[in-house]
Short mmCIF file of all heavy atoms in Angstrom, two decimals:
data_model
loop_
_atom_site.label_atom_id
_atom_site.label_comp_id
_atom_site.label_asym_id
_atom_site.label_seq_id
_atom_site.Cartn_x
_atom_site.Cartn_y
_atom_site.Cartn_z
N GLU A 1 -18.98 32.93 -9.94
CA GLU A 1 -20.23 33.26 -9.28
C GLU A 1 -21.27 33.74 -10.28
O GLU A 1 -22.43 33.34 -10.25
CB GLU A 1 -19.97 34.34 -8.24
CG GLU A 1 -21.22 34.79 -7.48
CD GLU A 1 -20.90 35.86 -6.47
OE1 GLU A 1 -19.71 36.17 -6.32
OE2 GLU A 1 -21.84 36.38 -5.86
N ASP A 2 -20.83 34.57 -11.24
CA ASP A 2 -21.76 35.07 -12.24
C ASP A 2 -22.30 33.95 -13.12
O ASP A 2 -23.42 34.01 -13.61
CB ASP A 2 -21.08 36.13 -13.10
CG ASP A 2 -20.78 37.39 -12.30
OD1 ASP A 2 -21.38 37.56 -11.21
OD2 ASP A 2 -19.94 38.17 -12.75
N SER A 3 -21.47 32.92 -13.36
CA SER A 3 -21.89 31.85 -14.25
C SER A 3 -22.67 30.77 -13.55
O SER A 3 -23.26 29.93 -14.20
CB SER A 3 -20.65 31.22 -14.92
OG SER A 3 -19.81 30.67 -13.93
N SER A 4 -22.66 30.72 -12.23
CA SER A 4 -23.29 29.61 -11.51
C SER A 4 -24.48 30.03 -10.67
O SER A 4 -25.35 29.22 -10.40
CB SER A 4 -22.25 28.92 -10.62
OG SER A 4 -21.16 28.48 -11.37
N VAL A 5 -24.54 31.25 -10.21
CA VAL A 5 -25.56 31.66 -9.25
C VAL A 5 -26.54 32.59 -9.94
O VAL A 5 -26.16 33.45 -10.74
CB VAL A 5 -24.89 32.38 -8.04
CG1 VAL A 5 -25.95 32.72 -7.00
CG2 VAL A 5 -23.83 31.50 -7.44
N GLY A 6 -27.83 32.40 -9.64
CA GLY A 6 -28.85 33.26 -10.20
C GLY A 6 -28.91 34.58 -9.46
O GLY A 6 -28.23 34.83 -8.46
N HIS A 7 -29.76 35.48 -9.96
CA HIS A 7 -29.86 36.80 -9.35
C HIS A 7 -30.46 36.73 -7.96
O HIS A 7 -30.17 37.57 -7.10
CB HIS A 7 -30.70 37.71 -10.24
CG HIS A 7 -30.04 38.01 -11.55
ND1 HIS A 7 -28.99 38.91 -11.67
CD2 HIS A 7 -30.26 37.51 -12.79
CE1 HIS A 7 -28.61 38.97 -12.95
NE2 HIS A 7 -29.35 38.12 -13.64
N GLU A 8 -31.31 35.74 -7.69
CA GLU A 8 -31.97 35.70 -6.40
C GLU A 8 -31.03 35.29 -5.29
O GLU A 8 -31.26 35.63 -4.12
CB GLU A 8 -33.17 34.75 -6.45
CG GLU A 8 -32.80 33.29 -6.70
CD GLU A 8 -32.55 32.99 -8.17
OE1 GLU A 8 -32.64 33.94 -8.98
OE2 GLU A 8 -32.27 31.82 -8.48
N ASN A 9 -29.95 34.55 -5.58
CA ASN A 9 -29.01 34.10 -4.55
C ASN A 9 -27.79 35.00 -4.44
O ASN A 9 -26.89 34.73 -3.67
CB ASN A 9 -28.53 32.67 -4.86
CG ASN A 9 -29.68 31.69 -4.82
OD1 ASN A 9 -30.65 31.92 -4.11
ND2 ASN A 9 -29.55 30.60 -5.57
N ARG A 10 -27.73 36.03 -5.23
CA ARG A 10 -26.55 36.88 -5.24
C ARG A 10 -26.73 38.02 -4.25
O ARG A 10 -27.79 38.64 -4.17
CB ARG A 10 -26.34 37.42 -6.65
CG ARG A 10 -24.94 37.91 -6.90
CD ARG A 10 -24.79 38.33 -8.34
NE ARG A 10 -25.08 37.23 -9.23
CZ ARG A 10 -25.36 37.39 -10.50
NH1 ARG A 10 -25.38 38.59 -11.02
NH2 ARG A 10 -25.63 36.34 -11.25
N ALA A 11 -25.69 38.32 -3.49
CA ALA A 11 -25.75 39.39 -2.50
C ALA A 11 -25.81 40.75 -3.21
O ALA A 11 -25.15 40.93 -4.24
CB ALA A 11 -24.53 39.34 -1.59
N PRO A 12 -26.57 41.71 -2.70
CA PRO A 12 -26.65 43.02 -3.35
C PRO A 12 -25.32 43.74 -3.27
O PRO A 12 -24.63 43.72 -2.24
CB PRO A 12 -27.74 43.74 -2.57
CG PRO A 12 -27.78 43.06 -1.24
CD PRO A 12 -27.42 41.63 -1.50
N VAL A 13 -24.94 44.36 -4.37
CA VAL A 13 -23.68 45.10 -4.45
C VAL A 13 -24.01 46.58 -4.41
O VAL A 13 -24.76 47.09 -5.24
CB VAL A 13 -22.92 44.75 -5.75
CG1 VAL A 13 -21.62 45.53 -5.82
CG2 VAL A 13 -22.66 43.25 -5.81
N VAL A 14 -23.44 47.30 -3.44
CA VAL A 14 -23.66 48.73 -3.27
C VAL A 14 -22.49 49.47 -3.88
O VAL A 14 -21.34 49.24 -3.48
CB VAL A 14 -23.80 49.09 -1.78
CG1 VAL A 14 -24.03 50.59 -1.63
CG2 VAL A 14 -24.93 48.29 -1.15
N PRO A 15 -22.68 50.27 -4.91
CA PRO A 15 -21.56 50.98 -5.52
C PRO A 15 -20.97 52.00 -4.57
O PRO A 15 -21.66 52.55 -3.70
CB PRO A 15 -22.19 51.64 -6.76
CG PRO A 15 -23.64 51.77 -6.42
CD PRO A 15 -23.97 50.60 -5.56
N ALA A 16 -19.67 52.23 -4.72
CA ALA A 16 -18.99 53.19 -3.86
C ALA A 16 -19.47 54.61 -4.18
O ALA A 16 -20.02 54.88 -5.24
CB ALA A 16 -17.48 53.08 -4.03
N LYS A 17 -19.22 55.49 -3.26
CA LYS A 17 -19.66 56.86 -3.40
C LYS A 17 -18.87 57.55 -4.52
O LYS A 17 -17.64 57.46 -4.57
CB LYS A 17 -19.47 57.61 -2.09
CG LYS A 17 -20.08 59.00 -2.10
CD LYS A 17 -19.95 59.66 -0.74
CE LYS A 17 -20.60 61.04 -0.74
NZ LYS A 17 -20.46 61.69 0.58
N GLY A 18 -19.56 58.23 -5.40
CA GLY A 18 -18.89 58.92 -6.50
C GLY A 18 -18.68 58.06 -7.73
O GLY A 18 -18.06 58.53 -8.69
N THR A 19 -19.15 56.82 -7.72
CA THR A 19 -19.00 55.93 -8.88
C THR A 19 -20.37 55.63 -9.45
O THR A 19 -21.38 55.64 -8.72
CB THR A 19 -18.30 54.62 -8.50
OG1 THR A 19 -19.09 53.96 -7.51
CG2 THR A 19 -16.91 54.91 -7.94
N THR A 20 -20.41 55.31 -10.73
CA THR A 20 -21.67 54.98 -11.41
C THR A 20 -21.78 53.47 -11.51
O THR A 20 -20.80 52.77 -11.81
CB THR A 20 -21.71 55.61 -12.81
OG1 THR A 20 -20.60 55.12 -13.55
CG2 THR A 20 -21.64 57.13 -12.71
N LYS A 21 -22.98 52.98 -11.28
CA LYS A 21 -23.22 51.54 -11.35
C LYS A 21 -23.27 51.09 -12.80
O LYS A 21 -23.96 51.70 -13.62
CB LYS A 21 -24.54 51.21 -10.65
CG LYS A 21 -24.81 49.71 -10.57
CD LYS A 21 -26.08 49.44 -9.81
CE LYS A 21 -26.35 47.96 -9.73
NZ LYS A 21 -27.61 47.67 -9.00
N GLU A 22 -22.51 50.01 -13.12
CA GLU A 22 -22.47 49.51 -14.48
C GLU A 22 -23.79 48.82 -14.82
O GLU A 22 -24.34 48.08 -14.01
CB GLU A 22 -21.31 48.52 -14.64
CG GLU A 22 -21.18 48.00 -16.06
CD GLU A 22 -20.09 46.96 -16.15
OE1 GLU A 22 -19.51 46.65 -15.10
OE2 GLU A 22 -19.84 46.46 -17.26
N LYS A 23 -24.26 49.07 -16.03
CA LYS A 23 -25.50 48.46 -16.47
C LYS A 23 -25.29 46.98 -16.77
O LYS A 23 -24.33 46.60 -17.42
CB LYS A 23 -26.00 49.17 -17.72
CG LYS A 23 -27.35 48.66 -18.21
CD LYS A 23 -27.79 49.43 -19.43
CE LYS A 23 -29.11 48.92 -19.95
NZ LYS A 23 -29.55 49.65 -21.16
N LYS A 24 -26.19 46.13 -16.25
CA LYS A 24 -26.10 44.70 -16.49
C LYS A 24 -26.72 44.38 -17.84
O LYS A 24 -27.90 44.65 -18.07
CB LYS A 24 -26.83 43.92 -15.38
CG LYS A 24 -26.22 44.14 -14.00
CD LYS A 24 -26.96 43.34 -12.95
CE LYS A 24 -26.37 43.56 -11.58
NZ LYS A 24 -27.09 42.80 -10.54
N ARG A 25 -25.89 43.80 -18.69
CA ARG A 25 -26.37 43.47 -20.03
C ARG A 25 -26.20 41.98 -20.26
O ARG A 25 -25.12 41.44 -20.07
CB ARG A 25 -25.59 44.25 -21.07
CG ARG A 25 -25.84 45.75 -21.02
CD ARG A 25 -24.98 46.46 -22.04
NE ARG A 25 -23.56 46.29 -21.75
CZ ARG A 25 -22.59 46.78 -22.51
NH1 ARG A 25 -22.91 47.46 -23.62
NH2 ARG A 25 -21.34 46.59 -22.20
N ALA A 26 -27.28 41.32 -20.67
CA ALA A 26 -27.27 39.89 -21.07
C ALA A 26 -26.69 39.03 -19.97
O ALA A 26 -25.77 38.26 -20.18
CB ALA A 26 -26.49 39.70 -22.36
N ARG A 27 -27.23 39.22 -18.77
CA ARG A 27 -26.75 38.40 -17.65
C ARG A 27 -27.83 37.43 -17.16
O ARG A 27 -27.80 36.99 -16.03
CB ARG A 27 -26.30 39.29 -16.50
CG ARG A 27 -25.05 40.09 -16.85
CD ARG A 27 -24.41 40.68 -15.63
NE ARG A 27 -23.19 41.39 -15.98
CZ ARG A 27 -22.39 41.96 -15.07
NH1 ARG A 27 -22.69 41.88 -13.80
NH2 ARG A 27 -21.31 42.59 -15.46
N GLY A 28 -28.78 37.13 -17.99
CA GLY A 28 -29.79 36.17 -17.61
C GLY A 28 -29.27 34.75 -17.67
O GLY A 28 -28.12 34.48 -18.03
N ARG A 29 -30.14 33.81 -17.35
CA ARG A 29 -29.73 32.41 -17.31
C ARG A 29 -29.44 31.87 -18.70
O ARG A 29 -28.57 31.02 -18.87
CB ARG A 29 -30.82 31.58 -16.63
CG ARG A 29 -30.51 30.10 -16.56
CD ARG A 29 -31.55 29.36 -15.78
NE ARG A 29 -31.27 27.93 -15.77
CZ ARG A 29 -30.42 27.34 -14.95
NH1 ARG A 29 -29.75 28.06 -14.09
NH2 ARG A 29 -30.23 26.03 -15.00
N ASN A 30 -30.14 32.37 -19.71
CA ASN A 30 -30.01 31.83 -21.05
C ASN A 30 -29.19 32.74 -21.96
O ASN A 30 -29.33 32.70 -23.18
CB ASN A 30 -31.38 31.59 -21.68
CG ASN A 30 -32.15 30.51 -20.96
OD1 ASN A 30 -31.55 29.55 -20.49
ND2 ASN A 30 -33.45 30.68 -20.87
N SER A 31 -28.36 33.60 -21.41
CA SER A 31 -27.51 34.43 -22.26
C SER A 31 -26.43 33.59 -22.92
O SER A 31 -26.13 32.47 -22.50
CB SER A 31 -26.87 35.54 -21.42
OG SER A 31 -26.01 34.97 -20.46
N SER A 32 -25.86 34.13 -23.97
CA SER A 32 -24.83 33.38 -24.72
C SER A 32 -23.61 33.12 -23.86
O SER A 32 -23.00 32.04 -23.94
CB SER A 32 -24.45 34.16 -25.98
OG SER A 32 -23.96 35.44 -25.63
N MET A 33 -23.21 34.10 -23.03
CA MET A 33 -22.04 33.89 -22.16
C MET A 33 -22.31 32.80 -21.14
O MET A 33 -21.43 31.97 -20.84
CB MET A 33 -21.68 35.20 -21.47
CG MET A 33 -20.50 35.07 -20.50
SD MET A 33 -19.01 34.43 -21.29
CE MET A 33 -18.68 35.76 -22.42
N LYS A 34 -23.52 32.73 -20.58
CA LYS A 34 -23.85 31.69 -19.61
C LYS A 34 -23.82 30.32 -20.26
O LYS A 34 -23.30 29.36 -19.69
CB LYS A 34 -25.25 31.95 -19.03
CG LYS A 34 -25.32 33.21 -18.16
CD LYS A 34 -24.45 33.05 -16.92
CE LYS A 34 -24.63 34.23 -15.98
NZ LYS A 34 -24.34 35.52 -16.60
N ARG A 35 -24.37 30.20 -21.46
CA ARG A 35 -24.33 28.91 -22.15
C ARG A 35 -22.90 28.49 -22.45
O ARG A 35 -22.55 27.32 -22.32
CB ARG A 35 -25.15 28.99 -23.45
CG ARG A 35 -26.65 29.11 -23.21
CD ARG A 35 -27.41 28.82 -24.48
NE ARG A 35 -27.09 29.78 -25.54
CZ ARG A 35 -27.76 30.90 -25.76
NH1 ARG A 35 -28.81 31.20 -25.00
NH2 ARG A 35 -27.41 31.71 -26.73
N TYR A 36 -22.07 29.45 -22.86
CA TYR A 36 -20.67 29.12 -23.16
C TYR A 36 -19.93 28.66 -21.91
O TYR A 36 -19.21 27.65 -21.93
CB TYR A 36 -19.99 30.34 -23.77
CG TYR A 36 -18.49 30.20 -23.87
CD1 TYR A 36 -17.92 29.38 -24.85
CD2 TYR A 36 -17.65 30.87 -23.00
CE1 TYR A 36 -16.56 29.24 -24.95
CE2 TYR A 36 -16.28 30.74 -23.09
CZ TYR A 36 -15.74 29.92 -24.07
OH TYR A 36 -14.38 29.78 -24.16
N LEU A 37 -20.16 29.37 -20.79
CA LEU A 37 -19.46 29.00 -19.56
C LEU A 37 -19.96 27.67 -19.02
O LEU A 37 -19.18 26.87 -18.50
CB LEU A 37 -19.64 30.10 -18.51
CG LEU A 37 -18.91 31.42 -18.80
CD1 LEU A 37 -19.27 32.46 -17.76
CD2 LEU A 37 -17.41 31.21 -18.84
N ARG A 38 -21.30 27.42 -19.13
CA ARG A 38 -21.82 26.14 -18.65
C ARG A 38 -21.26 24.99 -19.48
O ARG A 38 -20.88 23.95 -18.94
CB ARG A 38 -23.34 26.15 -18.71
CG ARG A 38 -23.99 26.96 -17.60
CD ARG A 38 -25.45 26.55 -17.42
NE ARG A 38 -26.22 26.73 -18.64
CZ ARG A 38 -26.90 27.83 -18.94
NH1 ARG A 38 -26.88 28.86 -18.12
NH2 ARG A 38 -27.58 27.91 -20.07
N LYS A 39 -21.21 25.14 -20.79
CA LYS A 39 -20.68 24.08 -21.63
C LYS A 39 -19.19 23.86 -21.37
O LYS A 39 -18.72 22.72 -21.30
CB LYS A 39 -20.90 24.43 -23.10
CG LYS A 39 -20.46 23.33 -24.05
CD LYS A 39 -20.74 23.69 -25.47
CE LYS A 39 -19.81 24.80 -25.93
NZ LYS A 39 -19.91 25.04 -27.38
#
């Protein structure tokens, strides 16, 4: 899902109570991980 769907089509994720939300790093369409997974 992370490699195929953009941010606009992804359902919002609500973190559980007492947990910290992980920071999204390099999750854009042209990130290196996305290019690797697409190839």
